[in-house]
Amino acid sequence: MSETELVRLDREGPIGVITVNNPPVNALSPGVPEGIIACLREGEADPAIAAMVLIGAGRSFIAGADIRQFGKGRPRPPLGQRVYDVLDAAAKPVVAAIHGYALGGGLEIALACHYRIAVPSAKVGLPEVLIGILPGGGGTQRLPRLIGPKAALDMIVSGRHVPAPEARTLGILDEVLPEGADLRAGAIAVATRIAAARPLPRVRDKTDRIAEAAADPGMFDAMRASIARRARNQKAPYNCILAVEAACRLPLDEGLKREQELFAELENSDEARALRYAFFAEREVARLPDLPEGIAPREIRTAAVVGAGTMGGGIAMSFADYGIPVRIIDSTPEALARGMEKIRANYATSVKRGSLKQDEMERRLARIHPVGGYADIADADVVIEAVFEEMDVKKPVFRALDQTMKSGALIFSNTSALDVDQLAAETNRPADVAGTHFFSPANVMKLLEVVRGTKSAPATLITAMALGRKIGKIPAMAGNTDGFVANRSRAPFNSEMVILLEEGCLPEQVDKVMVDFGYPMGPFAVGDLAGLDVGAAGRRRRAAANPNYRTLPIADKLVEMGRFGQKTGAGWYRYEKGDRTPHPDPEVTRIIRETAARMGVPQRSFTDEEILRRLLFSSVNEACRILEEGKAYRASDVDVMWLHGFGFPRYRGGLMFWADQIGVKAVYDQIEAWHQQYGDRWAPSKLLRDLAATGTAFRDAKAAPMV
Ligand code: 3HC
Ligand code: NAI
């Protein structure tokens, strides 16, 4: 058998072993389902073969359909002729032997087999909903028959990966091998054992678990109600529920038909296209096209953090959560103790919520070591500085780190806007310095901007990216520019939302528009959560550096009044004691109206669409400027940053993908119109003009080489 064949059949005595070999994850690319069917038929036709094993070569069983093929209009085999149907109708038993992942179509194939065996590290799931579709290979019909509609709904609507031991308990797997056992041999043993068993144990024939739906007819409505907030504006989760409902009502073949109809409604939906785009954008962001290939990241075994405040604490937790011991220092023992207390309290909240076990909390805490000073962290492989956002505070810290850290240690700053080169210049090892910009809360938010200083060595950047992935982040490379990529592209949005107030909007109106669009919270409510004083400090710094800086008198006024947000009980909204619910505040309305009158801004009303576009187009324009200056690699990186840094709704793809749906020319025309109306702050960037002139999509925009 040739090594390049996607699927092959080997004979092990009376057992035929069908091996799928389509690296890296054995997706069901063209040729794979056909190959499985061909091997199956060959095995069935061969009287010397009594049973078969289906297994994946390389690191996984089958990770599902080939996502790149969706939306291309490829004809699919009709019901009855698909790989799932052929397996289901097989006359000889087939054992699915699972390692790595059995996801989507991969699990659906396993469900159409007669026995499922896995290694303990395997994971199974039906994650289709996460790319805007539903399991279209019988998963919505077979899984409820196998494990009951409730457990099936939970898996199909969440898309979560289920570890093998849990999958065994649920009844998805028939057997989990002991640690270290040989999967192929174990599966062959099972196949030998069940070779003669008749009738074949088929999921399609199981009816007992389906009956649970009759006993609890409200479960589907309850599921719909429970996802209403999370799944707003989306169709896939609801079609998933409808499909499972059909499984409980219809015979399997009719249920499969219904599944197909519900699948067809989704495949080319805006939601599915956006989610597919996001999936690939998240993988593309890891590619660093201008760095030499073959540089291995440095090994990071221990870490240190300077500054035990909001961010330092969260960063230390991020290390501890992923098994990396971390030492933490602060300028005073009191600040350090406060920081440790906060860390403990954060973990305790997770334990209280049930998302973390007490013993795991203790294990994580035991990895975080508060220590006295620089000498105590000197031998760490990496140190992240997270002290106050002031150059004059950070510079001495960098000098001290340079003097004390062992040679080869990497020195990173968590600054959110300051010049990384200036920090690097304080050291004698600028090649080992870069920015690692976490987002708040640092132990929760997935985005990590890796900021590239002029002198940062490729190995430093590659290590920062790899380290980010190791601690569960999605790292994205950013150039060294004020605010880097995420915050810089977001800054005009932050200004525009306050300028809208000057023109007649209210915070609650803007927030409603953005929540309806899909953000979990409106931007004013987020501002109150983050603290309005933080933004004010940045504005003061920028205004001092730039005489043309557009000030935001309303926001400044609130800060002047001590309305810093939730922490002071009032900001853009007012808050009841001990409650985080924002309440519109007539006092804020008064300040807005008075300020607008003083500024002489004519008042008018706004449509929701206009509000949305005012905020997002301003950022699209800035993102173009960032690409044009070579501060980001690609528009899709900006999208990844908005998805994971700012809670941009994933089913809209990201800022630039969303703008592409409107069309680059329409975006340009509107921006140019606002340029005429409002002046310089809306001047279209050169890249935007060029894209509009050539009809090039944002996602295809060529960025300048990164500097
Ligand atoms: N289709 C096409 N390419 C895929 C793929 C898929 N289903 N799954 C992974 N890949 C590609 C990735 O794009 C990546 O390519 P690259 O190296 O060129 O960037 C490569 O495989 C490796 O993937 P990851 O970097 O994500 O590898 P990990 O080890 O981190 O994760 C994984 C592996 C958990 C399998 C993850 O890739 C994943 O979640 N894949 C998608 C799984 C999925 O959604 N399956 C359902 C598909 S829809 C379906 O089956 C429909 C059916 O119901 C009819
Ligand atoms: P913070 O004020 O909560 O914490 C700063 C900590 O640094 C304090 O505990 C302080 O005692 C300590 N510190 C100050 N000077 C020190 C010194 N010389 N040596 C040792 N420790 C010292 O501030 P926060 O919010 O944690 O910010 C830290 C950094 O993270 C800043 O650069 C900030 O811009 C950045 N950042 C903040 C985000 C946020 O949302 N708060 C988001 C992303 C980045």
Side-chain angles (χ1 to χ4, degrees):
M1 298 281 162
S2 111
E3 278 309 304
T4 54
E5 261 178 300
L6 291 171
V7 188
R8 66 168 193 270
L9 176 70
D10 298 307
R11 287 165 174 77
E12 294 278 344
I15 305 301
V17 180
I18 301 172
T19 307
V20 178
N21 185 16
N22 182 28
V25 292
N26 293 327
L28 297 167
S29 312
V32 175
E34 294 83 349
I36 297 174
I37 292 174
C39 290
L40 201 63
R41 297 222 193 280
E42 192 183 332
E44 294 226 279
D46 185 343
I49 290 182
M52 282 169 272
V53 165
L54 177 60
I55 195 167
R59 65 188 217 212
S60 208
F61 181 67
I62 296 170
D66 183 341
I67 302 173
R68 289 184 200 277
Q69 303 300 323
F70 284 119
K72 288 194 176 163
R74 274 177 181 280
R76 289 214 183 80
L79 276 180
Q81 294 175 31
R82 307 171 312 164
V83 60
Y84 322 97
D85 312 321
V86 175
L87 274 164
D88 191 67
K92 295 178 182 174
V94 184
V95 175
I98 301 169
H99 73 302
Y101 294 97
L103 298 177
L107 178 58
E108 292 174 299
I109 283 183
L111 292 175
C113 291
H114 306 98
Y115 195 94
R116 286 157 292 281
I117 183 169
V119 294
S121 59
K123 293 208 169 92
V124 307
L126 293 175
E128 284 87 342
V129 71
L130 303 177
I131 50 168
I133 56 173
L134 56 72
T140 64
Q141 306 304 299
R142 288 196 180 84
L143 195 61
R145 281 178 166 74
L146 191 60
I147 67 171
K150 211 169 201 149
L153 270 180
D154 161 60
M155 274 181 66
I156 295 171
V157 174
S158 71
R160 74 187 176 97
H161 295 177
V162 177
E166 186 190 347
R168 171 75 193 97
T169 310
L170 284 171
I172 301 171
L173 299 173
D174 297 291
E175 188 176 337
V176 177
L177 285 166
E179 198 74 56
D182 182 77
L183 177 63
R184 193 171 189 271
I188 289 173
V190 172
T192 309
R193 195 177 77 223
I194 66 169
R198 295 295 181 278
L200 289 174
R202 299 190 304 179
V203 174
R204 76 150 54 226
D205 301 325
K206 281 178 68 71
T207 51
D208 52 332
R209 299 302 304 269
I210 285 288
E212 286 168 23
D216 182 7
M219 79 167 75
F220 300 105
D221 280 341
M223 190 71 187
R224 276 185 276 270
S226 79
I227 62 166
R229 199 182 142 70
R230 183 161 44 91
R232 65 187 186 283
N233 303 330
Q234 289 176 263
K235 193 168 167 67
Y238 292 99
N239 277 22
C240 287
I241 299 174
L242 288 174
V244 175
E245 238 175 327
C248 299
R249 221 173 356 98
L250 302 173
L252 188 104
D253 290 324
E254 281 181 45
L256 290 176
K257 265 192 222 141
R258 182 73 186 122
E259 181 186 87
Q260 286 308 288
E261 289 163 10
L262 291 164
F263 181 91
E265 286 176 11
L266 300 173
E267 183 182 350
N268 292 311
S269 64
D270 289 346
E271 170 187 340
R273 288 189 309 114
L275 289 167
R276 284 199 290 270
Y277 166 86
F279 176 85
F280 288 113
E282 282 165 357
R283 278 144 189 91
E284 190 68 17
V285 76
R287 289 188 230 284
L288 313 175
D290 57 346
L291 296 189
E293 277 178 27
I295 298 181
R298 291 191 202 167
E299 189 152 4
I300 304 293
R301 288 204 197 85
T302 58
V305 175
V306 184
T310 313
M311 294 305 289
I315 295 168
M317 290 170 78
S318 301
F319 284 116
D321 291 352
Y322 285 82
I324 301 177
V326 54
R327 277 163 281 171
I328 184 162
I329 62 173
D330 204 297
S331 49
T332 65
E334 294 74 28
L336 188 59
R338 259 198 318 274
M340 285 306 294
E341 212 27 67
K342 189 82 211 293
I343 290 173
R344 177 171 277 282
N346 284 342
Y347 277 135
T349 305
S350 303
V351 170
K352 215 155 124 198
R353 282 205 200 114
S355 58
L356 186 71
K357 295 236 163 63
Q358 181 73 38
D359 56 347
E360 179 57 22
M361 162 174 165
E362 297 305 334
R363 270 196 293 279
R364 292 181 186 190
L365 269 175
R367 291 187 197 116
I368 305 176
H369 306 278
V371 293
Y374 289 100
D376 304 306
I377 61 170
D379 64 347
D381 299 318
V382 62
V383 56
I384 298 187
E385 166 277 309
V387 303
F388 299 137
E389 183 76 341
E390 283 166 40
M391 218 19 135
D392 293 345
V393 180
K394 289 195 191 282
K395 278 184 172 176
V397 171
F398 267 71
R399 284 198 294 274
L401 288 171
D402 186 39
Q403 278 155 23
T404 46
M405 296 306 290
K406 72 177 179 189
S407 140
L410 295 172
I411 306 179
F412 295 149
S413 173
N414 185 51
T415 175
S416 38
L418 300 178
D419 181 356
V420 171
D421 285 340
Q422 283 194 44
L423 297 174
E426 295 299 310
T427 73
N428 292 306
R429 46 173 124 179
D432 291 341
V433 175
T436 46
H437 180 210
F438 290 74
F439 286 68
S440 183
N443 57 320
V444 175
M445 299 299 284
K446 289 270 174 221
L447 179 60
L448 175 69
E449 260 182 307
V450 172
V451 184
R452 176 176 187 155
T454 313
K455 296 192 173 159
S456 306
T460 302
L461 299 170
I462 286 167
T463 305
M465 296 285 287
L467 177 62
R469 281 189 291 274
K470 198 166 163 185
I471 58 172
K473 302 296 177 199
I474 300 185
M477 186 72 82
N480 184 24
T481 171
D482 189 359
F484 315 128
V485 174
N487 285 346
R488 179 177 158 186
S489 62
R490 168 71 191 224
F493 171 126
N494 290 346
S495 299
E496 256 353 275
M497 71 189 222
V498 182
I499 295 171
L500 278 173
L501 307 184
E502 295 169 8
E503 295 176 32
C505 283
L506 288 175
E508 49 272 31
Q509 184 188 4
V510 176
D511 275 1
K512 179 171 184 316
V513 170
M514 300 318 279
V515 170
D516 287 349
F517 178 69
Y519 276 94
M521 281 170 87
F524 285 104
V526 170
D528 276 357
L529 183 65
L532 304 189
D533 47 329
V534 179
R539 285 201 299 280
R540 272 196 302 277
R541 185 170 58 77
R542 290 185 179 99
N546 172 9
N548 296 323
Y549 186 75
R550 172 63 157 93
T551 56
L552 301 173
I554 297 173
D556 291 341
K557 176 78 187 164
L558 293 192
V559 173
E560 202 184 292
M561 294 168 71
R563 299 184 67 120
F564 291 175
Q566 282 191 18
K567 60 188 167 192
T568 57
W572 292 110
Y573 295 95
R574 65 175 182 80
Y575 298 86
E576 308 281 343
K577 215 174 163 50
D579 183 11
R580 290 159 170 259
T581 315
H583 298 282
D585 190 344
E587 174 75 359
V588 173
T589 309
R590 190 184 58 75
I591 293 163
I592 291 170
R593 302 293 188 235
E594 273 179 18
T595 313
R598 204 175 52 249
M599 294 171 77
V601 185
Q603 302 289 289
R604 66 184 181 91
S605 63
F606 287 80
T607 64
D608 290 358
E609 193 62 19
E610 191 177 1
I611 292 173
L612 180 70
R613 292 184 176 203
R614 270 284 288 274
L615 299 192
L616 294 182
F617 282 8
S618 70
S619 284
V620 171
N621 195 23
E622 189 65 24
C624 286
R625 222 168 261 133
I626 289 170
L627 291 167
E628 168 190 317
E629 291 173 18
K631 301 298 181 192
Y633 285 133
R634 4 177 146 75
S636 63
D637 286 9
V638 175
D639 285 339
V640 171
M641 295 188 196
W642 277 60
L643 293 180
H644 295 287
F646 302 137
F648 191 91
R650 189 177 173 83
Y651 56 84
R652 298 195 191 275
L655 177 71
M656 306 304 267
F657 182 86
W658 170 80
D660 266 334
Q661 308 317 298
I662 293 168
V664 66
K665 178 75 170 56
V667 173
Y668 170 80
D669 287 347
Q670 180 61 76
I671 288 180
E672 181 50 36
W674 282 332
H675 180 207
Q676 300 302 322
Q677 186 181 346
Y678 292 110
D680 272 358
R681 75 173 197 273
W682 277 98
S685 62
K686 179 176 176 317
L687 181 68
L688 175 60
R689 247 184 288 125
D690 292 349
L691 295 175
T694 55
T696 309
F698 289 110
R699 61 191 286 186
D700 296 327
K702 284 255 160 306
M706 193 178 276
V707 284

